[in-house]
Amino acid sequence: MNYSKPMLFVLIFLNSFVYSQRQVQTLNSAWKFSSEAHAEKIVDLPHTWNAQDPFRDGKEYFRGEGTYTKTLFAPQKWENRQVFLKFEGSNQVTTLYVNDQLVGEHRGGYTGFVFDLTKTLIPGAENQIRIVVDNGHNVDIPPLDADFNFYGGIYRDLWLITTPKLHFETANEATGNFLIRTPEVSAENGRILIESSIKNSTAKREAVTVEAEIFDPQGNSVKLLKNKSRIKAGEVVEVTFEGDIISPKLWSPAAPNLYRAEIRLISEGKTQDVLSSNFGFRWFEVDPEKGFFLNGEPIKLIGANRHQDFQGLGNALPDRLHQKDYEMIKEMGANFIRTAHYPQDPEVYRICDELGLLVWSEVPVINDVTASDAYHNVSLKMQREQIKQFFNHPSVIMWGHMNEIFIRLVFNNKMTEPEKAAKIKTSVELAEKLEKLTKELDPDRLTVMALHENELYNTSGIADIPDVIGWNLYFGWYSPGLESFGKFLDDQHQRYPNRPLFISEYGPGADVRIQTTDPQPWDYSEAYQLKLHRSYLNQVLERDYVFGMAAWNFADFGSSFRQDAMPYINQKGLVNFDRSKKDIYYNYQARLLKEPMVYVAGKNFTDRYIHSDEQVEITVFSNAPQVTLSSGDKTYSAETNDGIAIFEIPLPEGKNKVTATAGDVSHSQVFEVHFRENLLDKIDEKAILVNVGAHVQYKDPVTGEVWIADQPYRENSFGYVGGEVFQKDKNKIQGTASDIQGTENDPLFQTMREGIESYKFDVEEGIYLVTVMLAEPQFNASEALIYNLSSSEETMEESVRSFDILINEEPVQQDLNPARDYGKIRAISITYKVNSKDGITVKFAENAGKSLLSAIKLEKL
């Protein structure tokens, strides 16, 4: 498939009147950049100044002004031309100066805009371009608050455009695009309505001819339309065309047929300006009972949400990375994408057209609303810009205009009831304005908003405003019970039977460093991610009235306030921040793809620690009804269910290659099996590392060390004695979600055993290193010295935690108060050298509060 830029941006003129037509080029290279947080340096666009700082411990990322400057030489020939600067995206207030003269300001960080430089540029001279970008919090610009980073900078391509004085209008909310409507489409006929505008910046009236030529998907000209007009000096004139295409080739995910329209502005026998745009013929409808229909055929929409940032780059991505994301989404078997929570790069919509991905595109009115005319007006402008700029894309089927708009109100305990009522009122009023505007601009597409699980959306009436309701539902994660998901949907459908329903978000966090065969809510394991997605997909497929679903999220993304298992990252992605695939990606392939596939899960779970009498659980994904698995000279067979085949097979210690086969396709994975009973005997070769208080194993990606799931002590082995698994929330197995300072291995310290009496290793005589690891999980933990408290003070200091550590009855640590000695929510690692003659017992003697232990390591010298 050809992924070159559309003709709008790559017109190359080789004829003798090259300078009479539109010329477009990037202006991305060698800008001087500086801010109060950054020394001056040379940067290329796309650029963000927040590629790194949102992911650093102990500081907030810089939000404020950044300045880009460049010297631009304007050829003398430009005195007879119009000159424009087109931004694809700059976050979020952008002000342009040319030769210290203000050209204009744009508010909003996710849509394109164009400035006309003509009057401020000096032809035949060097001109100073200064662009000031401000991503600071602004109460009048959405988003006010959100679970993603507000990266600052000119983070998409910047284009320099020159045109004749007589040209298609460029400095408008559509950024120069013309609109192609297909108001009537069937298999027999496609109606076309083209809307363009011409601007005459000459000093005289001009007689013009405008042509519109239509090309079919094979590039053949199928229609030529002409329109003549006279246009006064300084005037902007609308020019429209109507026509029909007989038996059009329809656009769909299975057959993304694209037509192209080229419009030409001709004066005095010369072509003055040319624009080109792809478009497609398709029609769709949604039935609140039967679901979504495209071109008359039912289709269940299944896909994902997608944020635009990438590890190490922030949101400043080259086009190829945007392309690769959507190629991966298509290769997953998806037919749908939601551009959460803002309009994305123009390249995104172009490639969705080409790949055949249906799109929900939305503006970032999210979490909260300001009751000001300024905020409302910016929100409306964002929606106008989004619709006008991406109108021609057949992939777009829904315009979104709000997401979880009451979530901050619901969780704000400081707001009074009158304040809440006022917030609800202004939110509903804005939703009504956005709905009205959207239908005026585009009556043929669906409108949609996304809601979180709260009855306020129904009682306020806001859920009755758009065509479609999207529910962001996290049962089994933020709310208990996977089965509650379907019950909630059935209840909503029964109460509001005329509402088309869509699942706009769902999914748990998953950290590929964390693995288990016993998944539990909030353990961040890949296994629990599979369990939840499997359940949700089944429950949606059982309900025709739910016309689609979008997983949250395609990829892990940056969110500076997040703590979770990996701080500053929302880990609900189907792939990692660097786009390496999690196991769940392959399960979606097994559920959605038609071409044969098979995949042995567990590329991040290749080390298996089991007892010698246990079998190894191997998960295989395939869309075949049956899969065979071979290891050595043994072969096993299992039927697939929901694209999953589970094998429990005996494997010997050491490395074992297993191969899954389904028909003509196969896939292999190597698993290394370790018998727990033999770990003590092999202590000379390899240390024992235990993830205390956890049912999951954790792999340090830097050292490659695997911290195995905990176990109770039994004779001639090792394990804990006494205590309970610590959980701040009994519904969440994680322990604490806090960002553990002083470590990158947060999950190792977020789980722990509290009140532990001892940890025992029945090892032989020798010299050992024992490393105990822990972190104080409570922010209100006292830093008092227990031995200096009076009896009356002791009763008041319930938050004091103090314990002694003894190894083989020898005291090695007295009055260890983690909060006082090291700090709260901070990783502590203490190593002791031990000369043992008869095993090792690490005892935790409590002085006040409860002892705790997160991990323990034993190595022999």
Side-chain angles (χ1 to χ4, degrees), residues 323-464:
Q323 292 169 359
K324 288 178 69 175
D325 272 6
Y326 286 87
E327 288 168 5
M328 287 179 67
I329 292 166
K330 183 71 174 182
E331 290 164 6
M332 189 180 77
N335 58 20
F336 177 85
I337 192 71
R338 177 184 177 211
T339 62
H341 289 295
Y342 37 76
Q344 297 192 1
D345 194 287
E347 186 67 9
V348 165
Y349 299 87
R350 188 190 67 80
I351 196 169
C352 285
D353 288 347
E354 292 193 0
L355 292 173
L357 287 168
L358 294 157
V359 176
W360 160 349
S361 187
E362 65 189 15
V363 290
V365 181
I366 175 173
N367 290 13
D368 197 6
V369 167
T370 301
S372 70
D373 289 341
Y375 182 94
H376 284 223
N377 290 337
V378 172
S379 300
L380 293 166
K381 188 173 191 293
M382 285 180 172
Q383 185 74 326
R384 285 197 306 272
E385 290 173 335
Q386 171 184 232
I387 293 172
K388 291 181 179 181
Q389 290 168 27
F390 304 119
F391 188 93
N392 295 349
H393 294 278
S395 56
V396 178
I397 58 170
M398 289 190 281
W399 298 121
H401 53 64
M402 278 187 176
N403 180 80
E404 297 186 352
I405 206 62
F406 292 142
I407 196 166
R408 287 293 173 258
L409 178 153
V410 168
F411 289 102
N412 189 339
N413 297 323
K414 296 181 180 179
M415 289 183 71
T416 65
E417 289 306 313
E419 287 172 335
K420 288 184 178 181
K423 183 71 71 174
I424 293 168
K425 182 175 182 290
T426 193
S427 300
V428 172
E429 288 174 350
L430 179 55
E432 290 172 340
K433 293 177 187 176
L434 287 164
E435 180 73 14
K436 182 174 183 289
L437 171 69
T438 305
K439 287 302 184 184
E440 288 173 353
L441 293 174
D442 188 356
D444 297 322
R445 285 186 172 96
L446 298 169
T447 55
V448 60
M449 68 169 63
L451 321 176
H452 80 286
E453 182 206 342
N454 194 279
E455 186 62 18
L456 180 57
Y457 295 100
N458 293 322
T459 58
S460 67
I462 202 168
D464 297 318

Side-chain angles (χ1 to χ4, degrees), residues 6 18 82 86 88 106 169 178 291 294 344 422 436 464 511 519 548 551 571 620 702 721 765 784 795 818 826 836:
V18 60
Q82 297 294 115
K86 177 178 177 177
E88 289 184 351
H106 180 267
E169 188 182 24
F178 63 100
L294 179 66
Q344 297 192 1
K436 182 174 183 289
D464 297 318
D511 189 320
Q571 291 182 276
V620 177
V702 176
V721 176
E765 181 178 355
T795 61
R826 173 165 287 278
S836 173

Side-chain angles (χ1 to χ4, degrees), residues 10 90 304 321 481 617:
V10 295
S90 178
L321 287 184
E617 183 177 296

Side-chain angles (χ1 to χ4, degrees), residues 635-654:
T635 301
Y636 311 88
S637 180
E639 294 183 353
T640 57
N641 185 14
D642 303 331
I644 303 171
I646 304 292
F647 296 85
E648 292 188 355
I649 62 174
L651 290 177
E653 270 200 301

Side-chain angles (χ1 to χ4, degrees), residues 565-733:
M566 184 177 289
Y568 321 122
I569 304 290
N570 187 314
Q571 291 182 276
K572 296 185 181 70
L574 309 179
V575 302
N576 293 299
F577 204 11
D578 65 359
R579 276 37 174 192
S580 56
K581 297 169 184 174
K582 302 181 185 180
D583 276 350
I584 190 63
Y585 177 92
Y586 298 99
N587 182 239
Y588 272 92
Q589 286 190 321
R591 300 294 296 267
L592 302 177
L593 290 179
K594 292 182 180 179
E595 56 269 27
M597 70 81 60
V598 66
Y599 179 80
V600 181
K603 69 174 180 179
N604 300 302
F605 193 19
T606 54
D607 284 284
R608 299 299 182 95
Y609 288 82
I610 63 171
H611 293 290
S612 57
D613 58 352
E614 294 177 331
Q615 296 185 323
V616 177
E617 183 177 296
I618 306 293
T619 299
V620 177
F621 301 137
S622 179
N623 51 12
Q626 193 171 55
V627 176
T628 60
L629 188 74
S630 61
S631 178
D633 58 356
K634 296 183 179 179
T635 301
Y636 311 88
S637 180
E639 294 183 353
T640 57
N641 185 14
D642 303 331
I644 303 171
I646 304 292
F647 296 85
E648 292 188 355
I649 62 174
L651 290 177
E653 270 200 301
K655 293 184 177 180
N656 297 266
K657 181 180 180 180
V658 300
T659 300
T661 303
D664 296 329
V665 294
S666 63
H667 182 257
S668 299
Q669 201 82 258
V670 175
F671 296 95
E672 185 165 4
V673 176
H674 312 265
F675 290 158
R676 286 177 174 252
E677 293 91 331
N678 296 339
L679 295 180
L680 291 177
D681 294 336
K682 296 180 178 181
I683 191 72
D684 288 324
E685 307 167 19
K686 191 174 183 180
I688 298 175
L689 305 93
V690 186
N691 190 8
V692 178
H695 69 289
V696 299
Q697 73 179 38
Y698 173 81
K699 185 172 184 177
D700 185 329
V702 176
T703 66
E705 294 176 312
V706 176
W707 298 78
I708 67 176
D710 203 3
Q711 65 181 39
Y713 170 74
R714 56 185 179 186
E715 195 172 353
N716 297 320
S717 185
F718 63 92
Y720 66 83
V721 176
E724 296 180 342
V725 172
F726 173 80
Q727 290 177 248
K728 276 190 173 181
D729 184 332
K730 295 303 179 184
N731 294 316
K732 299 176 181 179
I733 202 70

